[in-house]
Amino acid sequence: MTDLTPNSTFLIAGIVFITIAVIGQSKLAFIEINPGCFGRILALFIGVSSLLYALGILNFSAENLDLLRNSLTEEIKQRISQINEILQGS
């Protein structure tokens, strides 16, 4: 038996959630799936996010989050005078 890698797990979850979003109300054996409008939109969002993560397009690693935080911090430091002008001008 093979172990499920995170990519295959997200791929399977993405396909399941996309199926729920597209089909909507259905009956699977004794389980009835009726997500409603918000549930279908949520399933679509989760499904697309899972598929993008499985394909490597959407990557939330700690290195990427640190890089994003550092770049935002540097950008704010560079623009602090403009931010102060905007806040004082209002």
Side-chain angles (χ1 to χ4, degrees), residues 1-76:
M1 186 170 153
T2 61
D3 293 328
L4 288 176
T5 62
N7 282 346
S8 62
T9 304
F10 279 106
L11 184 66
I12 292 169
I15 292 170
V16 168
F17 280 110
I18 293 287
T19 304
I20 289 172
V22 170
I23 294 175
Q25 183 177 357
S26 64
K27 191 164 188 161
L28 179 65
F30 60 90
I31 300 171
E32 184 175 341
I33 300 172
N34 187 7
C37 181
F38 177 72
R40 290 177 77 171
I41 293 171
L42 183 63
L44 181 66
F45 177 74
I46 293 171
V48 169
S49 299
S50 296
L51 289 176
L52 290 176
Y53 184 80
L55 295 174
I57 298 171
L58 185 66
N59 191 359
F60 289 125
S61 67
E63 294 174 0
N64 289 344
L65 292 177
D66 286 340
L67 181 64
L68 178 64
R69 183 181 49 179
N70 290 340
S71 65
L72 285 175
T73 304
E74 289 300 318
E75 188 70 29
I76 291 172

